[in-house]
Amino acid sequence: ILTPGQLFISCSEPFDADEYIERLAWRTPGGGSKGGAEAFDPKRLLEEFENHIEELKHLDEKIQRRVEKLEHQCHREAKEFAHKVQDLQRSNQIKEAADIIQKLHLIAQELPFDRFADVKAKIASKYHDLERQLIQEFTAAQRRGEIGRMQEVAAVLLHFKGYAHCVDVYIKQCQEGAYMRSDVFEDTALLCQRVNKQVGEVFQSPETVMTKLIQNIFENKLQAHVKEKLDETRRSDVEQYLKNLYDLYTRTTALASKLTEFNLGSDKHTFLSKLIKNIFSTYLESYIEMEKDYLRTRSAMILQRYYDSKNHQKRPQGGGSIQELKERIRQRTNLPLGPSIDTHGETFLSQEVVVNLLQETRHAFERCNRLSDPSDLPKNAFSIFLLLVEHLCMDHIDYALEIGLSAIPSADAKNANLYFLDVVQQANTIFHLFDKQFNDHLMPLISSSPKLTECLHKKKEVIEQMEVKLDTGIDRTLNCMVGQMKHILATEQKKTDFRPEDENNVMIQCTAACSKVCVYVSRQVERVRKSMDGKNVDTVLTELGVRFHRLIHEHLQQYSYSSMGGMLAICDVAEYRKSAKDFRVPLVLQLFDTLHALCNLLVVAPDNLKQVCSGEQLTNLDRNLLHAFVQLRVDYRQARLGRHFS
């Protein structure tokens, strides 16, 4: 049995009700009028008709709903189409009206005011009304995001005086909702990227609009942001103010660098530089003075905090009291003008203090490089360098050298603690750090300016000044070392060491005095190596070695020697010679080789003296010196040894 819809579909001819009923009856079992396989059944046919009528009613309702829906859609689309037509017509009437009023406005400018005042006023009124309507239409189109409509209205407004106002409206609206995050610089970059794509589609001179937008952002949003950040710390926290100024200026210049990607006219770099200058000029004018004041205060605080931690009251320098004058004379000479001060081994040099001072100065150099006008950069960098010299070199290193010099005992002091070498060691380390900062952070800022000569001169002057004190201290420390050796020899060496009472019962070995001196010398050589670096090690060890040799040479000449005593003296000199090898200085070893050869004159047979004196190591020595050594022999007069030198 077919449904009504299937019966409709099977009908290819136009609809005929009689035909439709006949087809339905024929297709119903027992409903055919001409007999068939089944006999005619009127009840079944009636039931089928009733059911079919209900189905037709439902089909009718369904089709009716569909018809109504299509009619509604048709009316809506017709209405929208009518609106579009009206909009287009209105748009054209706007364009036509704008063209007419623009021409009338130009003509009205030529009309005499006294005769056509009323006409001119009406034209002007209509001109301004239309101009206002166009701007309102542009504003509405921008809010709806209708780029095409914006372009149309902007093109019409291009010939009106209010075109600039249209651009202002666009700039104001495009910033609405653009600054939702805390990063104003990132928001600005994203806003400009978005607007840059749009202005080319809307305006005929997109570079002008972009320029005006960026100017508006810099003069309002960025300037307000910078002012807020800097004004809140300018008086209360100078360190944070300088950090904020550096950060804000750096981020602003980085933003300006990004903005150069856009078409902003032929002189965009100058344009952006002026915008930055307008924001920061007030702050940059006073920057270097604030930087110096902060660095001066901060450096003084770092130093004072260190001395306080040592419970040390800093001694004034450069005073005029008699005591200070005596102290300065004592530091630079070996005159005994009173006892030295006791620093208890404290050098008053701190690597932590040095690192902090250099770090503060490095930050200052970085800010100076970023925030200084290029013409002022070398001068400003030099002024920061002078503060580093003042606080690091003078107030810390030089002061420690003065204290170290005052703590060096006199040359005749017993069991002296020589802490000045520790001062030298730390001062050397600090000099390297100071020199590294000079080369890494100051030189790039002044290398191409006349200030370079001035900086190099100042650095040389400061280093030479401290080197004088280091040299003085090292010299006096070497004197103390020699004085300690002298004290050991004076207390440990006995005359009988070289004139034993029993010549036949003597062990051939170095004396106790020699052993103690050699132990002491080895310790001092090691201390010098740890305290110095480079050529300074050889220079100081050479000087110490020469003084060591002179002391032993003079010491040996104080005694007279028996034959066995001469052998013991040779043993001592051989031991001293071993210590001389630790110096690793050829001159010092040569001196002790010669001294060893001289000591052979104390034991050689009288007949062989002349031959020994002509030997390779002694032949170039003054004969008076050779004679003086021979005179130390106890048998000098008895054997008439002087005849060999007559």
Side-chain angles (χ1 to χ4, degrees), residues 7 9 17 31 47 58 118 122 124 146 164 171 196 256 281 283 315 362 417 422 464 478 481 523 566 581 591 608:
L7 284 172
I9 293 172
E47 184 182 347
H58 290 306
D118 187 53
K122 289 180 179 179
E146 297 177 355
I171 288 172
N196 184 61
S281 59
Y283 305 104
R315 303 169 66 193
R362 177 172 61 83
N417 290 318
D422 296 331
E464 286 178 350
L478 295 182
M481 290 178 181
R523 286 203 306 266
K581 286 183 178 179
L591 288 173
N608 294 333

Side-chain angles (χ1 to χ4, degrees), residues 241 277 343 374 383 394 460 467 482 495:
Y241 167 80
K277 185 177 181 181
T343 63
S383 66
M394 306 312 299
K460 183 170 180 283
E467 282 180 343
V482 174
K495 289 187 178 181

Side-chain angles (χ1 to χ4, degrees), residues 164-194:
H165 184 56
C166 172
V167 173
D168 292 340
V169 168
Y170 174 79
I171 288 172
K172 181 181 178 182
Q173 287 200 166
C174 69
Q175 294 182 63
E176 292 177 358
Y179 294 93
M180 303 300 291
R181 295 177 295 180
S182 58
D183 193 337
V184 65
F185 297 99
E186 188 63 28
D187 284 340
T188 297
L190 293 174
L191 170 63
C192 291
Q193 286 175 356
R194 175 169 57 81

Side-chain angles (χ1 to χ4, degrees), residues 122 143 186 215 245 257 268 274 479 522 526 571 618:
K122 289 180 179 179
R143 285 178 175 157
E186 188 63 28
Q215 183 175 353
L245 179 59
S257 180
K268 54 187 173 184
K274 285 182 179 179
N479 283 341
S522 294
E526 189 62 29
C571 287
L618 300 180

Side-chain angles (χ1 to χ4, degrees), residues 3-6 8 20 53-65:
T3 64
Q6 290 172 324
F8 283 135
Y20 179 79
I53 289 170
E54 288 300 319
E55 289 182 10
L56 285 172
K57 286 180 180 178
H58 290 306
L59 181 61
D60 179 63
E61 291 173 358
K62 185 177 180 181
I63 293 173
Q64 190 62 35
R65 285 197 299 270

Side-chain angles (χ1 to χ4, degrees), residues 29 77 80 89 110 144 235 312 335 351 359 421-423 486 529 604 616:
E77 291 180 355
E80 290 176 357
Q89 289 174 341
E110 307 296 328
R144 294 192 301 267
R235 303 296 179 191
H312 174 73
L335 297 177
Q351 192 157 338
Q359 183 173 333
L421 287 181
D422 296 331
V423 176
K486 194 172 184 179
R529 289 198 186 282
V604 70
E616 182 180 351

Side-chain angles (χ1 to χ4, degrees), residues 550-564:
R550 186 185 303 124
L551 171 67
I552 300 303
H553 187 279
E554 292 174 354
H555 172 70
L556 291 174
Q557 289 183 309
Q558 297 176 17
Y559 300 90
S560 59
Y561 300 86
S562 66
S563 176
M564 186 58 66

